[in-house]
Amino acid sequence: MNESGNSDGEDVKAADEGGAIDDTSKPLPDLAAVKVGDIITLGQYEQDNNPDNGMEDIDWVVLEKQDEKALLISRYALDAIQYYVSAPELDRSWEMSNIREWLNNTFMGEALSDSEKDIIICDTVRAEVNPKYPETSPGNDVEDYIFILSADQAVKYFSTDEERQCEATEYAKAQGVWTDSNYGDNAAWWLRNPGIAAYDSMDVNLNGSINYNAHGGEYTTTGVRPAMWVRTQ
């Protein structure tokens, strides 16, 4: 699948590592009935920073609906994950990123049941240049089940800075995601484009504006908003 949901290759197998949630915990939502802007629950992840009461349901916002598929993004920044941990100086692309590995292995394995994994579409995630610094290489296209938005998608699906603003969960803040009460406790969240240099990564600022200059991907002060295409039929 590509990011418009059209098939252009075979699906790849995501790793089933970690403690997946109970497959019988709850039925799947009625995805055939969802509309753009709806908020649905799918999967579970620690969010209130109280592991004693178990993981909380993940809220997802429907960004796009096509014939038999829908694009979802988490409503909140769910965790503090470094964009890269170690990588060649000039290859810190989405393809080589730590966050890509985490989303398609750890997060997918721990947050989603087998029946929920079955409806996720393997997508061609495009390597997109920084719109203001196109000379910085974005790396190569890849096939992923779960990804983060590009700058163009963040503008396409959120028409204003206000719509782009995002709160972090209590768990994400405890892991290092930085928030500011002056911005309603909003958090910055990663985008997959490179920054002004290959070792920088773009993100959305606390006020919802796009940070084209970007900053070093080794920081854990920026939150993660997973995105994925799911089958609705």
Side-chain angles (χ1 to χ4, degrees):
M1 292 282 172
N2 59 34
E3 282 183 301
S4 64
N6 299 316
S7 179
D8 64 0
E10 295 184 358
D11 287 359
V12 296
K13 175 78 172 165
D16 285 324
E17 298 179 355
I21 62 177
D22 183 358
D23 200 38
T24 62
S25 59
K26 61 185 302 184
L28 294 173
D30 183 7
L31 294 171
V34 301
K35 304 181 297 296
V36 171
D38 284 352
I39 297 174
I40 64 171
T41 60
L42 199 67
Q44 295 180 329
Y45 199 70
E46 181 57 45
Q47 295 174 69
D48 65 359
N49 202 35
N50 180 10
D52 291 340
N53 64 10
M55 297 188 294
E56 289 70 43
D57 292 342
I58 303 173
D59 286 345
W60 302 84
V61 181
V62 180
L63 295 181
E64 183 173 349
K65 179 87 178 286
Q66 296 187 10
D67 293 338
E68 296 184 353
K69 56 190 73 75
L71 178 62
L72 312 178
I73 188 172
S74 68
R75 183 179 184 182
Y76 303 108
L78 296 178
D79 211 332
I81 303 297
Q82 294 171 296
Y83 197 94
Y84 57 78
V85 176
S86 62
E89 185 68 19
L90 297 180
D91 195 355
R92 290 171 172 172
S93 59
W94 168 252
E95 177 187 14
M96 299 294 292
S97 69
N98 172 67
I99 197 171
R100 178 188 174 221
E101 176 74 13
W102 179 81
L103 285 169
N104 287 277
N105 288 276
T106 304
F107 177 78
M108 188 171 179
E110 294 181 358
L112 300 164
S113 69
D114 288 343
S115 60
E116 290 166 336
K117 292 174 190 173
D118 285 344
I119 65 171
I120 303 175
I121 298 169
C122 187
D123 191 75
T124 298
V125 179
R126 304 298 183 190
E128 298 188 25
V129 300
N130 185 315
K132 291 193 175 182
Y133 304 101
E135 66 278 5
T136 306
S137 173
N140 301 308
D141 295 349
V142 292
E143 299 285 329
D144 289 326
Y145 285 91
I146 306 181
F147 52 95
I148 55 177
L149 298 187
S150 67
D152 284 349
Q153 288 175 316
V155 171
K156 174 182 178 181
Y157 296 120
F158 301 99
S159 58
T160 66
D161 289 353
E162 183 177 5
E163 290 180 2
R164 226 171 280 122
Q165 293 173 9
C166 171
E167 295 181 7
T169 65
E170 291 301 314
Y171 175 78
K173 288 188 281 187
Q175 300 308 302
V177 171
W178 184 72
T179 61
D180 187 336
S181 59
N182 292 322
Y183 294 99
D185 284 330
N186 292 334
W189 47 284
W190 290 118
L191 300 173
R192 69 173 188 269
N193 309 65
I196 191 172
Y199 48 80
D200 292 326
S201 304
M202 286 185 60
D203 63 355
V204 173
N205 291 315
L206 276 69
N207 64 2
S209 63
I210 303 291
N211 181 9
Y212 292 94
N213 290 339
H215 63 263
E218 75 275 14
Y219 295 111
T220 58
T221 53
T222 301
V224 182
R225 296 184 74 181
M228 58 187 181
W229 282 96
V230 296
R231 296 180 178 88
T232 58
Q233 299 289 343

